[in-house]
């Protein structure tokens, strides 16, 4: 019982290992015991946004809670406006939330404070409860950073510090993409968006983070800069992606995960570029979310397996 009640430095084992000492139990078993004793109240976590009916996020996060032995649950909360979320945010059992389109910016006034990253990005995709306060954070950029780093190593593309990148879109996810590229120290970045005014607003806001940050009026024009890294941040659409965009070896990442092969990824694949599907970013950023909510090491394999099982069966 002392191992269950001890608040810190408790020796634990792993289910795949033999116990190093009599009575040694796993983190999952400790969480389960604490829950049965009423020391670990069940909390409710959500995905806020619309449309979200087909999101794999509940599979991913509920698999993580089960793997960690936590009594929490994660479900969809589809709303057209953030005002509808006020009762949810105020409920005693509210534990945290993921935030997706179209609420990543409009939810900010409902929160008490923001992380430095979320503040600089100007968009929130993660809500955390800390000491009774609602704390907004952003793990989208961490997901993009992690996936691009893995892709760069696999594809042997040029170093980030010597490259040009292109961001397609100008919404909340594009903001995270720009901050990710800044984190990776990419010096030269282009923004393309069908509404140039929105792209220019983004350019003006983030220009201090790069050696050059400019708006391109077409993807054909962007090809002259020979981008090595392309990040798509718009829902899958009838976007026409010219082959000339892929003249040099590079990596294309699309945040949209439906369909699996978006116009950007299809075009990049035809030109033998390394492609990163949106579901990979979803898993990567979800791992960071879980660790921020629970302050425990996320069960990455269980989360990834749960997402891919749903994703591969439906898409």
């Amino acid at each position: 019982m002392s191992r269950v009640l001890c608040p810190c430095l408790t020796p634990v084992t792993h289910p795949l290992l033999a116990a190093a000492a009599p009575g040694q139990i796993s983190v999952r078993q400790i969480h389960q015991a604490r829950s049965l004793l009423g020391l670990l109240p069940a909390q409710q976590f959500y995905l806020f946004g619309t449309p979200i009916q087909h999101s794999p996020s509940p599979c991913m996060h509920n698999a993580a809670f089960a793997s960690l032995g936590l009594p929490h649950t994660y479900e969809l909360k589809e709303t057209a406006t953030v005002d509808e979320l006020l009762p949810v945010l105020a409920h005693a059992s509210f534990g945290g939330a993921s935030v997706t389109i179209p609420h990543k910016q409009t939810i900010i006034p409902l929160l008490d404070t923001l992380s430095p990253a979320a503040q600089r990005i100007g968009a929130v995709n993660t809500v955390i409860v800390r000491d009774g306060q609602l704390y907004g954070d952003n793990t989208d950029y961490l997901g993009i950073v992690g996936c691009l780093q893995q892709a760069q190593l696999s594809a042997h593309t040029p170093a980030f510090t010597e490259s040009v990148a292109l961001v397609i879109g100008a919404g909340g996810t594009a903001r995270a993409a720009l901050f990710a590229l800044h984190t990776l120290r990419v010096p030269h970045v282009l923004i393309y968006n069908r509404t140039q005014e929105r792209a220019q607003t983004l350019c003006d806001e983030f220009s201090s983070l790069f050696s050059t940050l400019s708006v391109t009026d077409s993807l054909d024009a962007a090809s002259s800069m020979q981008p090595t890294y392309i990040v798509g941040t718009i829902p899958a659409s009838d976007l026409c992606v010219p082959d000339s965009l892929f003249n040099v070896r590079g990596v294309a990442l699309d945040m949209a995960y439906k369909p699996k092969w978006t116009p950007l990824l299809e075009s990049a694949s035809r030109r033998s570029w390394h492609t990163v599907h949106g579901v990979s970013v979803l898993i990567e950023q979800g791992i960071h979310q879980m660790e921020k909510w629970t302050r425990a090491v996320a069960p990455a394999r269980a989360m990834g397996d749960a997402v891919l099982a749903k994703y591969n069966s439906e898409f």
Side-chain angles (χ1 to χ4, degrees):
M1 183 62 71
S2 63
R3 297 183 190 276
V4 173
L5 300 178
C6 181
C8 64
L9 299 178
T10 303
V12 296
T13 187
H14 188 277
L16 298 180
L17 299 175
Q24 202 164 72
I25 56 179
S26 69
V27 170
R28 179 180 182 180
Q29 291 170 315
I30 289 174
H31 285 159
Q32 290 172 330
R34 290 179 66 84
S35 177
L36 289 171
L37 291 169
L39 300 175
L40 188 59
Q43 294 180 314
Q44 195 75 44
F45 293 78
Y46 299 91
L47 171 62
F48 299 151
T50 186
I52 55 175
Q53 300 97 323
H54 301 292
S55 171
S57 291
C59 292
M60 173 171 65
H61 289 306
N62 284 322
F65 289 141
S67 181
L68 291 170
L70 294 169
H72 312 322
T73 55
Y74 183 106
E75 63 185 57
L76 304 178
K77 184 65 177 177
E78 184 157 359
T79 63
T81 68
V82 292
D83 292 339
E84 300 171 68
L85 299 173
L86 287 169
V88 177
L89 294 170
H91 201 280
S93 66
F94 177 70
S98 312
V99 186
T100 189
I101 295 170
H103 302 326
K104 291 185 179 184
Q105 292 171 271
T106 54
I107 199 170
I108 290 175
L110 306 185
L111 307 178
D112 296 302
T113 186
L114 301 181
S115 70
Q119 202 163 24
R120 185 64 188 86
I121 292 167
V124 164
N125 85 316
T126 306
V127 179
I128 305 160
V129 179
R130 287 187 179 172
D131 302 319
Q133 300 281 297
L134 297 177
Y135 183 78
D137 207 342
N138 194 297
T139 62
D140 277 337
Y141 91 94
L142 294 172
I144 296 169
V145 166
C147 286
L148 284 180
Q149 286 176 327
Q150 294 170 33
Q152 193 271 336
L153 290 173
S154 298
H156 305 292
T157 45
F160 294 110
T161 54
E162 301 170 0
S163 300
V164 176
L166 168 66
V167 173
I168 301 174
T173 308
R175 290 171 168 271
L178 287 171
F179 194 71
L181 294 170
H182 162 68
T183 302
L184 293 168
R185 298 174 62 198
V186 176
H188 308 291
V189 178
L190 301 167
I191 304 173
Y192 169 72
N193 192 58
R194 284 174 173 170
T195 306
Q196 285 196 46
E197 291 80 6
R198 291 192 67 188
Q200 190 58 55
T201 298
L202 209 58
C203 183
D204 295 341
E205 189 174 337
F206 284 83
S207 60
S208 63
L209 301 185
F210 302 96
S211 298
T212 61
L213 178 63
S214 58
V215 174
T216 179
D217 60 6
S218 71
L219 293 178
D220 283 309
S223 64
S224 66
M225 293 294 293
Q226 296 190 328
T228 308
Y229 298 95
I230 301 176
V231 181
T233 69
I234 60 175
S237 64
D238 58 353
L239 181 71
C240 183
V241 185
D243 284 348
S244 59
L245 205 54
F246 309 102
N247 284 334
V248 296
R249 186 174 76 255
V251 173
L253 178 153
D254 204 324
M255 294 293 284
Y257 57 82
K258 187 178 69 170
K260 182 175 182 179
W261 289 99
T262 62
L264 171 62
L265 297 185
E266 279 189 337
S267 299
S269 179
R270 282 199 306 268
R271 297 300 296 252
S272 300
W273 268 39
H274 188 96
T275 56
V276 180
H277 295 272
V279 68
S280 298
V281 187
L282 175 73
I283 295 168
E284 183 75 13
Q285 67 81 31
I287 290 167
H288 288 283
Q289 281 185 328
M290 183 56 55
E291 293 184 345
K292 289 176 182 290
W293 288 332
T294 64
R295 300 186 181 184
V297 176
R301 178 173 294 180
M303 294 172 74
D305 288 347
V307 171
L308 293 175
K310 175 178 174 63
Y311 187 75
N312 291 334
S313 67
E314 294 186 4
F315 304 115

